[in-house]
Amino acid sequence: MNKSFLSILTVACLATLFAVLPKQATAEQYNQNRTAIFGTGNPNTGWTVSNPFGNIEVALRAKGPTGNTSNINGLYIFALGTDANLEFSLNSDTTAANAIKLTTYTWVLSLDMDPTAGVSYTIYDPLTFDNSYGDNSTANGAGVEDGAPGSHNIGQNSLPGYGAAPAGLYDAQLQVKDSLGNVLASTHIQVQIVPEPSTLALGLLGLGGLAASWRARRSRKA
């Protein structure tokens, strides 16, 4: 068996292998607009969105009470005590008119509500929530709460949870899986809860005093 034939055979085997491996959308897009079909007066802005796998898409964002959805590459920052919500969007059919329903796939929402070191997720099935449902033509705020994800291709919700959260960094992840458990698409955001500006100012003032004292001691030693 000559080397050129072996090379061709190797390439063919690798091509076959990659063809059967499940594909996964790992890239994300930030500050994207997606129609918010839930509630009234919700902005369409600031979503962190997975690049669609075929016609499937997942999106996350955090939103403050004034509609603030400031998104810094998937990081959302709020002052301590801000009544900020986590919001998600599921779309099982971005390219057609509601042909593929949400229940075709498994959706997994993973939330880390502990700001201590490390990420410890609590897992939820977002289709069990009291979501707003619709399709690609549903207008802002016009979703229906009919409890029937099997009749729609878009599901969205807003989950309160950061208003009483202590300062720290929180993670959230949203995935969609096929019937074999393969992750088809995934998106991830972080929510940073920071101390109030007055607390920050006092902290910075204290640090400034320590620095001045340290410089003074160095001067005396010199």
Side-chain angles (χ1 to χ4, degrees), residues 125-148:
D125 175 0
L127 292 187
T128 64
F129 297 161
D130 185 20
N131 302 321
S132 295
Y133 294 105
D135 58 34
N136 297 324
S137 64
T138 304
N140 181 272
V144 296
E145 284 75 42
D146 60 4

Side-chain angles (χ1 to χ4, degrees), residues 62-86:
K63 177 174 66 61
T66 60
N68 173 31
T69 60
S70 179
N71 182 344
I72 307 170
N73 293 335
L75 176 65
Y76 301 77
I77 302 175
F78 301 98
L80 185 68
T82 301
D83 189 18
N85 294 348
L86 176 79

Side-chain angles (χ1 to χ4, degrees), residues 22-25 51 53 56 105 176-178 182-186:
K23 298 176 183 178
Q24 180 177 343
N51 282 335
F53 171 80
I56 312 168
Y105 305 106
V176 54
K177 299 181 179 181
D178 64 16
N182 298 311
V183 176
L184 302 178
S186 178

Side-chain angles (χ1 to χ4, degrees), residues 8-110:
I8 294 171
L9 183 61
T10 301
V11 171
C13 288
L14 287 173
T16 302
L17 175 63
F18 287 120
V20 299
L21 285 175
K23 298 176 183 178
Q24 180 177 343
T26 55
E28 294 174 308
Q29 298 175 331
Y30 305 109
N31 282 307
Q32 298 298 298
N33 287 355
R34 293 295 182 274
T35 303
I37 67 172
F38 58 92
T40 57
N42 286 307
N44 298 325
T45 57
W47 294 95
T48 296
V49 182
S50 69
N51 282 335
F53 171 80
N55 54 357
I56 312 168
E57 182 181 85
V58 288
L60 285 170
R61 73 178 179 187
K63 177 174 66 61
T66 60
N68 173 31
T69 60
S70 179
N71 182 344
I72 307 170
N73 293 335
L75 176 65
Y76 301 77
I77 302 175
F78 301 98
L80 185 68
T82 301
D83 189 18
N85 294 348
L86 176 79
E87 300 180 342
F88 66 80
S89 177
L90 323 170
N91 193 335
S92 57
D93 191 357
T94 62
T95 60
N98 199 21
I100 303 174
K101 313 301 183 184
L102 286 165
T103 49
T104 303
Y105 305 106
T106 298
W107 310 85
V108 181
L109 178 62
S110 305

